[in-house]
Amino acid sequence: MLLVDDDSGMLETLADIFRYKGLGLTISTDGRQALEAACSTHVGCVIMDIRMPNMDGICALKRIKECRPDLPVIMMTAYAEKEKIREAMACGAHAVLPKPLDIENMLATITELFATMETKGP
């Protein structure tokens, strides 16, 4: 998984949870790093904040979908901007989760995503 957020506290917390759950993890702190990592390494999914400096999550999502159209991306946002949420979904986001995150809901979303990916096969 690729975890992307400009908030270092959020990154550390989520990274600890995901590692505890046995999930492999790559971390990026902005959209440009995320784009590079998603397009040049083998990650199975991306979990990314919408609001970030340098390149926001929506722009990064669009660019990631250009190089890896089948790569699932779960977006997160602390802002209830319905337009941004609709745009993320229209650009191919698997889900948009609100912050503060409901960790159980996030883990359920990831589990469901991985189960769907396994049933589709290569």
Side-chain angles (χ1 to χ4, degrees):
M1 278 189 342
L2 174 61
L3 178 60
V4 189
D5 200 317
D6 61 317
D7 179 338
S8 61
M10 177 66 74
L11 272 178
E12 283 182 38
T13 299
L14 289 176
D16 287 346
I17 292 167
F18 294 152
R19 287 183 181 124
Y20 177 77
K21 294 291 186 179
L23 299 170
L25 198 60
T26 300
I27 294 174
S28 294
T29 57
D30 67 42
R32 289 185 201 279
Q33 288 179 357
L35 175 61
E36 183 177 321
C39 293
S40 66
T41 62
H42 183 72
V43 294
C45 78
V46 178
I47 299 174
M48 180 166 49
D49 193 17
I50 288 179
R51 279 197 170 185
M52 295 182 293
N54 299 325
M55 179 186 292
D56 74 10
I58 301 288
C59 184
L61 170 65
K62 290 175 184 176
R63 306 259 317 263
I64 288 168
K65 288 297 185 176
E66 289 173 5
C67 71
R68 303 236 353 240
D70 294 333
L71 180 63
V73 179
I74 297 170
M75 305 297 291
M76 309 177 288
T77 185
Y79 304 93
E81 299 176 57
K82 291 181 182 178
E83 183 178 319
K84 288 285 188 186
I85 293 168
R86 277 193 296 272
E87 184 178 7
M89 294 304 290
C91 291
H94 176 77
V96 179
L97 303 177
K99 289 180 177 178
L101 291 170
D102 175 335
I103 297 301
E104 292 303 318
N105 181 45
M106 173 172 262
L107 292 172
T109 301
I110 293 166
T111 300
E112 171 197 321
L113 173 64
F114 287 159
T116 302
M117 291 168 60
E118 286 177 7
T119 59
K120 286 183 181 177

